[in-house]
Amino acid sequence: MNILAIESSCDETAAAIITGDPFASNSNSDTKKPQILSNIVVSQIDIFKAYGGVIPEVAARSHLEAILPVIHQAFRDAGFTKSNANSSSYSDDWSKIDAIAVTHTPGLLGSLLIGTLTARTLAILHGKPLYAIHHLKSHIYANWLNAENTPSFPLLALVISGGHTQIIRMTAHNNFEIIGTTLDDAVGECFDKVAKILGLPYPGGPSIANCAKKGDSQKYHLPIPNIKELDFSFSGLKTAVLRAVQKEVGVPISYPSHQLANLLTDQQKSDFAASFEKTATDILLKKLEKALATYPDTKSIVIAGGVSANQNLRASTVKKFNSPTDPTIFFPELKFSGDNAAMVGAAAFFEIKTKTEPTDPYSLNIFPRSDIQ
Ligand SMILES: Nc1ncnc2c1ncn2[C@@H]1O[C@H](COP(=O)(O)OP(=O)(O)OP(=O)(O)O)[C@@H](O)[C@H]1O
Ligand SMILES: [Mg+2]
C-alpha cells in the first residue's frame, strides 16, 4: 500500500510517500513497517527569522504557493511519474497511490486549511480514501520510521513540541491516553521565548542549544515548578529567566525586555542558555520519572516533537533511565523530530492497521485545538 501524506499545520509545507503492508502477518517482513519512498519538507523558517516568530497569515500564503510543487516533488522522488504523450514533461501517477493522509488538527487555522483542502480535493478528484491525522499522533509515530527496533507497548510518549507538552500512555497502536499536560506554555514555546529574551534568533530551540554549548549550566539557579500529578507548567520558568536577567544586568522589572539582550555579554547569554536548558530538561525528566513510577508496566519511553532534537535532553534521558530494568528509550531520527509528512504517513499506516475508517472528504472538519484521542 502506498500512502501520500501531507503536512501543513504550522510553518513547514511537507509531502511524503510511504509504503508498506499494514496487514502483513510475516513477522520478518519489512513491509509490516512503514517505509519512506520520498519525503519533501519546505520550511518557512527563513521568512520568519526576520520577524522573530510565525505570522499565521503569511504562513498560510506560503503553504498555498508551495503545496502543489511539494506534492509533485514527492511523486518524482518516489518514481511515481509517467511521461505525457506528445511532450517531454512528466505527470504524477495517481494509479500508484492507495490512500491520502493529511494533518487536520491541531495547528494554525489558515495553515491547516491549505493542507486539508488540498488533500480533500485530491481525494475526491482521484477517488482515494482520505485519512485525517492528528498532528501529535504523527510526532509519536515518527519513532516507527525506518528504525531497526520499534517501541513496545505499553509505552509512555513524552510529546515536547512548539505547542504541546504532554505525557501520553499507549497500550496498543492507535490507543492514546493523556496522563499529563502543560497547564500554560509548551516547552518549545518556552525555548522560543527565552531565546527572544537572550536576543537569539528564531527558532529559539536550536539557538539556545547552540549558545548553551559554551555556557555553565550551574551558573544561574532557576526554579522547578511544583505542579501536582503529571502536569507541567513552563510560563513560570520563562518569567524566572526574565527576572534573573534583569537582576544580573541591574535594571528594574519595568525595563523593556526586548532591549535586555544588548546588556548581556556573550558569556552571560551562554550561561543563561545552559542554565535554562538544564532546568527545562530536569522538569521534563522529573515528570517522566514520576509517570514511570505510576505505570511500572511501561516497556518503552518514546520522546517526540521538535524539542526531542535537543542533544542535551537526549543525553540526559539516556543517562537517567539507564538501568537494565528501565524501559527502552526511543527518539526520532533528527530529520523526523520537527514537522514533516513522513510521520503523518506512518501514523496513517497504523490507523489503517487498526482498521480505522477513512474520513469523508466532503465533510472533513479541522479542529485547531483538539486533544489527541
Ligand atoms: N534542538 C532543539 N532544542 C530545543 N528545542 C528545539 C530544538 N529544535 C527545535 N526545537 C523547538 O521545537 C519546536 C518546534 O517543534 P514542532 O515543529 O514539533 O512544533 P509545532 O509543530 O510548531 O507545534 P506542535 O507540534 O505542538 O503543533 C520549537 O519550539 C523549537 O524551538
Ligand atoms: Mg509539530
Side-chain angles (χ1 to χ4, degrees):
M1 162 177 266
N2 298 320
I3 305 168
L4 168 68
I6 298 169
E7 155 67 37
S8 72
S9 66
C10 189
D11 57 347
E12 269 91 19
T13 317
I17 296 179
I18 297 298
T19 194
D21 176 4
F23 305 113
S25 52
N26 177 358
S27 59
N28 292 321
S29 163
D30 274 350
T31 58
K32 75 195 257 287
K33 283 192 290 188
Q35 310 275 328
I36 300 168
L37 295 183
S38 63
N39 182 40
I40 310 295
V41 183
V42 170
S43 176
Q44 302 167 11
I45 278 181
D46 286 342
I47 301 174
F48 296 124
K49 261 194 179 133
Y51 302 100
V54 178
I55 300 170
E57 173 71 20
V58 177
R61 284 167 188 245
S62 301
H63 284 306
L64 192 57
E65 278 173 24
I67 198 150
L68 291 178
V70 162
I71 292 171
H72 185 45
Q73 192 60 43
F75 273 84
R76 288 178 70 124
D77 282 12
F80 285 7
T81 50
K82 53 184 181 189
S83 54
N84 294 326
N86 307 325
S87 117
S88 58
S89 65
Y90 290 85
S91 59
D92 304 336
D93 186 354
W94 280 92
S95 69
K96 296 262 184 14
I97 298 294
D98 301 293
I100 298 176
V102 65
T103 307
H104 77 124
T105 188
L108 299 174
L109 199 63
S111 294
L112 288 168
L113 270 172
I114 305 301
T116 51
L117 190 56
T118 304
R120 292 168 68 183
T121 308
L122 292 173
I124 293 166
L125 189 65
H126 298 288
K128 307 291 177 187
L130 177 68
Y131 289 85
I133 304 293
H134 193 284
H135 184 63
L136 298 191
K137 283 187 192 177
S138 302
H139 273 308
I140 293 171
Y141 273 111
N143 284 279
W144 271 261
L145 278 171
N146 282 353
E148 290 285 306
N149 297 314
T150 47
S152 308
F153 300 108
L155 65 79
L156 290 180
L158 178 66
V159 179
I160 42 178
S161 61
H164 295 81
T165 308
Q166 297 189 327
I167 303 179
I168 294 171
R169 179 168 149 92
M170 291 177 73
T171 50
H173 278 302
N174 214 17
N175 170 297
F176 305 89
E177 183 195 357
I178 300 170
I179 58 169
T181 192
T182 184
L183 304 177
D184 40 56
D185 291 355
V187 61
E189 188 183 351
C190 192
F191 267 90
D192 294 334
K193 286 177 175 167
V194 168
K196 268 199 169 176
I197 295 170
L198 301 180
L200 304 174
Y202 173 87
S207 300
I208 294 253
N210 199 29
C211 184
K213 282 181 194 154
K214 290 188 185 140
D216 173 4
S217 63
Q218 308 295 331
K219 177 83 191 210
Y220 301 105
H221 176 76
L222 299 166
I224 303 260
N226 189 13
I227 306 295
K228 69 176 178 63
E229 310 297 341
L230 298 173
D231 290 335
F232 299 90
S233 166
F234 279 95
S235 69
L237 178 57
K238 170 200 64 193
T239 309
V241 173
L242 180 63
R243 296 285 175 261
V245 172
Q246 289 162 339
K247 191 170 166 209
E248 182 75 5
V249 297
V251 297
I253 59 171
S254 56
Y255 192 86
S257 60
H258 64 278
Q259 289 175 15
L260 278 172
N262 300 332
L263 306 176
L264 289 168
T265 64
D266 285 349
Q267 189 55 52
Q268 283 172 318
K269 286 183 188 179
S270 290
D271 291 342
F272 272 114
S275 302
F276 162 74
E277 186 180 49
K278 181 180 183 307
T279 308
T281 300
D282 287 351
I283 293 170
L284 294 170
L285 296 189
K286 240 180 124 172
K287 280 292 155 121
L288 197 50
E289 190 176 31
K290 193 168 181 180
L292 280 177
T294 314
Y295 297 95
D297 59 346
T298 302
K299 290 203 176 106
S300 304
I301 294 172
V302 167
I303 315 288
V307 182
S308 74
N310 189 280
Q311 295 301 330
N312 217 299
L313 172 104
R314 287 185 178 221
S316 305
T317 310
V318 171
K319 198 168 159 202
K320 190 171 182 87
F321 304 107
N322 70 350
S323 98
T325 53
D326 280 332
T328 316
I329 304 165
F330 291 84
F331 301 97
E333 268 184 65
L334 280 182
K335 64 180 174 201
F336 300 131
S337 60
D339 292 350
N340 66 87
M343 67 184 193
V344 180
F349 180 96
F350 288 103
E351 286 214 0
I352 293 166
K353 189 181 178 70
T354 51
K355 301 197 169 58
T356 307
E357 284 297 309
T359 310
D360 176 5
Y362 287 97
S363 62
L364 172 64
N365 282 321
I366 57 174
F367 305 99
R369 277 181 285 279
S370 157
D371 271 344
I372 193 168
Q373 49 198 314

